[in-house]
Amino acid sequence: MSAVNNQANMQDADRVKIFDTTLRDGEQSPGCSMNLEEKLQVAAVLEEMGVDIIEAGFPIASNGDFEAVQGVARQVKDSIVAGLARAAIKDIDRAAEALKPAARPRIHTFIATSPLHMKYKLQMEPDAVLQAVADSVGHARDLCDDVEWSCEDGTRSDHDFLCRCVETAIKAGAGTINVPDTVGYTVPAEFHALIAMLFERVPNIDQATVSVHCHNDLGLAVANSLAAIGAGARQIECTINGIGERAGNAAMEEVVMALRTRRDIMPYDTGVKTELITRASRVISAITGFSVQPNKAIVGANAFAHEAGIHQDGMLKHSGTYEIMTPESIGLIRSTLVMGKHSGRHAFKAKLAELGYAHLSDNAIQDAFVRFKDLADHKKDIYDEDIMALVDDAVVRRNDRIRFVSLQVVCGSRGPQTAELELEVEGELMTAKASGNGPVDALFAAIREIYPHQTKLQLYQVHAVTEGTDAQAEVTVRLEENGRTVNGQGADHDTLVASARAYVNALNKLLVKREKSAPAAMTA
Ligand code: KIV
Ligand code: ZN
C-alpha cells in the first residue's frame, strides 16, 4: 500500500466506515427481493444518509442483479458502490463490468476459509484456497483500485490459515479485509480476540482497513460488530432493519446509534446522518413487506413509547430518566394531526418533504395525492403515519404489471361470502366473481381466477396504521412458489381493499422473481 493510503488510515483512526449490504445480503433473505426501481430508491436513501459503501448486489448471480449494480453505480456519486464476486475470474469480470459507471467502484471478492466449507462446499485443499485468494484479489486489483476481500466463515477458520490468507490478500492488493461471522456463531469476547489476533499476527495488517460482517443467528450480530471495533476493526457491514440471510445481519440503525449514544466508551464516529434512520427503515419495510417488530431497538413502534405510569411521570420531569436518545435523533417525528380533505397539492407536497419524501418524482407524488384525497373522504383525522403508509403503498406499486382496480365484497354471518374484483393485467381490464370461506378467501379466489397461479399463501397479516375504527389497514401477504417467497404490502382504509392490494403486490414481485433465477450456490 502507498504511504498516502497509510496516512489516510492513520487519520481515520476514530472513523468507523458503514458498509451497507441491504441491497445484497439483505435482499438475499427469503421474500425480500426488490426490483430495479426499488433498489435505486433504497440506494438514494443510503447515499443521502451518508453511508460510506453501498453493496448493490452480486452481478454474476443474474441479469437482474447485474442491472441493479450497474444502475446503482450510475446513480450514486458520493458513496462507494460495491459489487460482490466469488473467487472466480468470470465473477470478478462481471462485477467490474457492472461497476464501470461508478464514480467510486469497489470489487468485493470472497472465498470460504473454514475447514468445513473448504472440504464440503468448495472441495478444495487449503493450499488451493490460498492460491485462489492471491489470484482473485490480484485479478480484481487489475480491474479496480478498491478491492475488498472476505474470508467466508472466518469465525470458524483455523487461525494460522486465516492469518496466511489475510496476509496474502493484502499482498495481492486488497485495501479492506472483511471477517464475516457467516453463520452467526461467535460471541463478543471471542470475536474481539479473533480481530485482535489478526492485528497481532498479520505482518502487513496496517496496510488494510479491517472490516466485520456479522450475522444474527444468536442475536449477537451488533454486539459482535461493536466488540470488533474495540479490537481495531474500522468498517462494519450491516443492513437497514437488520434484514438478511436467516436471522439477518447486524442492524445498521443499532450499530450507528450505539456508537453515537455510548461515545463515552466507544469514541468512534460514523458518517451516518442518524436523522434519516426512521425514513430508511420505513422505505425498507415498505419495499420488502418485512414489517418491523414493535419492540425492535431504535426503529420499532414502541422504541420511544412510555406506557407505565411511573415511566410517564419520570419522562414529564426529565426525559433523560427513561430515554437514552431522543426520537428526533433518529428522525422520528411525534405523531401529529396533519391534514384533512381541504388540504391542497401544495400543502401535501410540503408535508411529504417534511416526512422525508422530498426525492419522489412528480408522478409518484401525484399517485400519492390521489390516494390521499380518497382517504380524506373516508377518514376524518389524517396523521403522519397515514400519509407515510399511503405514499409507501403508492410508490411500491408504480411498476406493477397487475393492478388493483375495484372490489365489491359481500360478507357477514349469512353467507355466501363473495368477492367481485376488477384487475388490470398488462393494461387489460379483467373481472371475476368468486365465493369462499369468508371474504378474504373469496377475494383471493377471485384473484386466482383472473390470474391463474399455483402459490402457497404463507402469511396473511393485518395491522392498523393508527388508532381508531377508521384507521387504515396495512396488510402483508407472503406467497411461496417452488421455494421462492415474496412479500406484498397494501394499505387502505378498507381492510379487504388493502388485502387485495397486498396480494396483487406479492404476485407482481413473484413475476419479477420468476424472471430472475439465481443459481443455487450463489448465496453468500
Ligand atoms: O456472510 C457472509 O459470509 C457474506 C460474505 C460474502 C461477506 O455475506
Ligand atoms: Zn453475509
Side-chain angles (χ1 to χ4, degrees), residues 298-358:
I298 318 294
V299 290
N302 291 351
F304 291 90
H306 302 277
E307 184 83 17
I310 193 167
H311 287 206
Q312 288 176 348
D313 181 54
M315 284 292 292
L316 288 173
K317 288 173 176 147
H318 191 290
S319 63
T321 51
Y322 288 101
E323 229 165 52
I324 58 167
M325 53 202 152
T326 64
E328 290 77 18
S329 66
I330 60 150
L332 188 66
I333 312 159
R334 299 270 184 210
S335 180
T336 48
L337 186 59
V338 283
M339 302 197 298
K341 63 197 283 180
H342 301 298
S343 308
R345 195 187 312 265
H346 191 68
F348 183 70
K349 208 171 163 181
K351 188 73 205 174
L352 290 186
E354 186 192 316
L355 294 174
Y357 292 95

Side-chain angles (χ1 to χ4, degrees), residues 15-31:
R15 176 73 154 75
V16 172
K17 290 183 200 155
I18 296 296
F19 177 115
D20 181 277
T21 183
T22 305
L23 294 174
R24 199 276 298 170
D25 221 339
E27 209 239 2
Q28 273 175 213
S29 57

Side-chain angles (χ1 to χ4, degrees), residues 24-25 213 215 249 524:
R24 199 276 298 170
D25 221 339
H213 173 113
H215 281 268
N249 289 60

